[in-house]
């Protein structure tokens, strides 16, 4: 076997090693609010990678080069109607965009309420989001992140996960806490893209509501997870993008959330595009809709 061939093999192994991102389990040992079941995690790769019946929630780490690092970080919650997690389309693709701007990104694979492995369906996504932010904040020095510049971002149902964290970050835990649970789970800023916000029937995404709350939720539960009702003066500054012709998640989710933020004096910016529908991620090739990331970058620079 020639030395040249061996050198090439070593080079490609090195490239593969550099391309692998760190993936961190959210929970050490037993996962809270979980139980044994026959469910197995399913990964389906077609036009996008969709993960359903999530069993082990994780964070995948995407870091910018040290030379371009701004010290800012974002936790990304992909959508999927609380039925699956569209992991690359609204997750890893977005993380790479943030890295190009010098921002560390963490893609959250959160537990979904439709697996039998979750005891209380509506509690699991927020528990995972709280833990994700606490992990990033607790290890900020390792990743050269400013612990006061960590945001959360969500698409569609992932926007509901993100807006629940942004409005209910200090919800008390119902499990035995460890040291990390004393760290603040409040995001320093929030980005919502065609988000599910309300659980009220007039404007909710019915599939997300059914998966999260079940067929006959109480009025109290509906109100608790209608995040436009949970905004306080301590809700973080928020950037919102939606399309007026979104037939899956009505634009009123964003409009009503914007009004609630404005009424509480929370710094917020909203961009409503006349066309775009739903689920467009970076909106590449979709005319001036694809400039929404430029508006986001401008907003991030203003924080």
């Amino acid at each position: 076997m020639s030395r040249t061939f061996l050198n090439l093999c070593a080079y490609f192994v090195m490239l593969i090693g550099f391309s692998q991102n760190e993936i961190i389990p959210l929970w050490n040992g037993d996962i809270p609010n979980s139980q044994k079941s026959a469910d197995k995690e399913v990964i389906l790769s077609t036009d996008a990678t969709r993960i359903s019946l999530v069993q082990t929630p994780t964070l995948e780490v995407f870091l910018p080069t040290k030379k371009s690092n701004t010290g800012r970080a974002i936790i990304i919650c992909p959508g999927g109607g609380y039925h699956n997690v569209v992991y690359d389309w609204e997750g890893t693709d977005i993380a790479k965009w943030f890295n190009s701007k010098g921002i560390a990104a963490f893609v959250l694979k959160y537990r979904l309420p439709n697996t039998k492995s979750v005891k209380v369906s509506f509690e699991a996504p927020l528990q995972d989001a709280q833990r994700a932010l606490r992990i990033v904040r607790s290890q900020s020095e390792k990743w050269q992140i400013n612990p006061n510049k960590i945001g959360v971002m969500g698409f569609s149902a992932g926007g509901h996960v993100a807006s629940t964290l942004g409005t209910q970050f200090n919800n008390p835990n119902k499990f035995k806490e460890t040291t990390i649970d004393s760290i603040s789970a409040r995001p320093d800023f929030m980005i919502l893209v065609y988000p599910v916000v309300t659980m009220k029937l007039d404007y909710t995404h019915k599939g997300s509501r059914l998966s999260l709350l079940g067929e006959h939720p109480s009025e109290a539960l509906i109100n608790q997870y209608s995040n436009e009702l949970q905004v306080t003066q301590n809700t973080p500054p928020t950037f919102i993008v939606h399309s007026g012709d979104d037939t899956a998640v009505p634009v009123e989710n964003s409009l009503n959330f914007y009004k609630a933020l404005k009424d509480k004096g929370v710094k917020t910016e909203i961009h409503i595009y006349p066309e775009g529908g739903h689920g467009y991620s970076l909106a590449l090739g979709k005319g001036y809709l694809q400039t929404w990331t430029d508006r986001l970058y401008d907003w991030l620079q203003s924080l």
Side-chain angles (χ1 to χ4, degrees):
M1 189 177 294
S2 72
R3 181 175 296 274
T4 301
F5 179 75
L6 289 173
N7 287 339
L8 282 173
C9 288
Y11 174 71
F12 284 116
V13 167
M14 180 184 71
L15 284 181
I16 291 169
F18 276 124
S19 68
Q20 291 176 336
N21 294 302
E22 183 180 9
I23 297 179
I24 304 168
L26 293 187
W27 307 95
N28 295 321
D30 293 337
I31 299 172
N33 187 28
S34 66
Q35 59 192 359
K36 289 185 178 179
S37 81
D39 284 353
K40 303 294 182 184
E41 197 163 296
V42 176
I43 302 176
L44 179 65
S45 293
T46 53
D47 59 332
T49 299
R50 294 171 172 85
I51 306 175
S52 57
L53 301 177
V54 170
Q55 301 299 301
T56 305
T58 59
L59 272 179
E60 185 170 1
V61 183
F62 290 79
L63 298 178
T65 62
K66 291 182 179 179
K67 192 171 182 178
S68 64
N69 182 26
T70 63
R72 185 168 281 149
I74 188 77
I75 295 168
I76 303 167
C77 307
Y82 277 129
H83 182 74
N84 54 54
V85 175
V86 190
Y87 194 76
D88 49 3
W89 181 244
E90 295 172 344
T92 59
D93 283 0
I94 310 301
K96 294 168 187 175
W97 179 87
F98 276 106
N99 282 178
S100 75
K101 305 300 183 184
I103 299 170
F106 301 80
V107 179
L108 176 61
K109 184 183 73 172
Y110 52 92
R111 284 175 293 164
L112 298 159
N114 59 351
T115 172
K116 295 182 177 66
S117 300
V118 170
K119 288 182 181 178
V120 183
S121 63
F122 49 84
E123 291 180 354
L126 177 58
Q127 289 169 336
D128 289 350
Q130 287 175 314
R131 175 52 66 101
L133 203 137
R134 286 172 170 140
I135 287 174
V136 175
R137 190 159 275 148
S138 69
Q139 299 189 44
S140 57
E141 185 175 350
K142 167 186 173 182
W143 292 311
Q144 297 184 335
I145 291 167
N146 185 327
N148 299 313
K149 292 185 177 180
I150 302 171
V152 67
M153 179 183 202
F155 294 78
S156 194
H160 191 264
V161 178
S163 62
T164 305
L165 180 64
T167 57
Q168 304 185 54
F169 52 84
N170 56 357
N171 269 24
N173 293 313
K174 296 180 181 178
F175 54 85
K176 185 177 180 180
E177 292 188 340
T178 59
T179 304
I180 195 172
D181 297 305
S182 64
I183 296 172
S184 171
R186 180 186 182 272
D188 295 297
F189 58 96
M190 184 160 55
I191 303 164
L192 305 176
V193 186
Y194 42 83
V196 178
V197 173
T198 191
M199 288 289 116
K200 291 185 174 293
L201 278 174
D202 47 0
Y203 296 124
T204 192
H205 178 250
K206 292 180 181 177
S208 295
R209 170 178 149 140
L210 180 63
S211 292
L212 187 68
L213 303 185
E215 291 187 3
H216 304 291
S218 68
E219 192 66 24
L221 198 59
I222 292 168
N223 289 340
Q224 181 183 348
Y225 287 93
S226 293
N227 290 323
E228 74 278 14
L229 303 179
Q230 304 302 325
V231 173
T232 70
Q233 293 177 342
N234 206 27
T235 301
T238 302
F239 179 91
I240 307 171
V241 176
H242 217 123
S243 297
D245 65 347
D246 191 333
T247 58
V249 178
V251 69
E252 284 80 4
N253 280 266
S254 289
L255 293 172
N256 291 337
F257 195 61
Y258 173 81
K259 184 179 185 304
L261 291 164
K262 182 174 177 292
D263 289 348
K264 292 295 184 180
V266 176
K267 181 180 179 182
T268 181
E269 180 171 319
I270 188 168
H271 293 268
I272 306 296
Y273 290 84
E275 296 178 348
H278 188 77
Y280 42 77
S281 183
L282 293 169
L284 299 179
K286 291 187 175 292
Y288 81 103
L289 178 62
Q290 70 183 0
T291 65
W292 77 260
T293 52
D294 297 330
R295 307 289 75 75
L296 171 59
Y297 185 62
D298 291 342
W299 180 79
L300 288 169
Q301 294 293 93
S302 76
L303 291 178

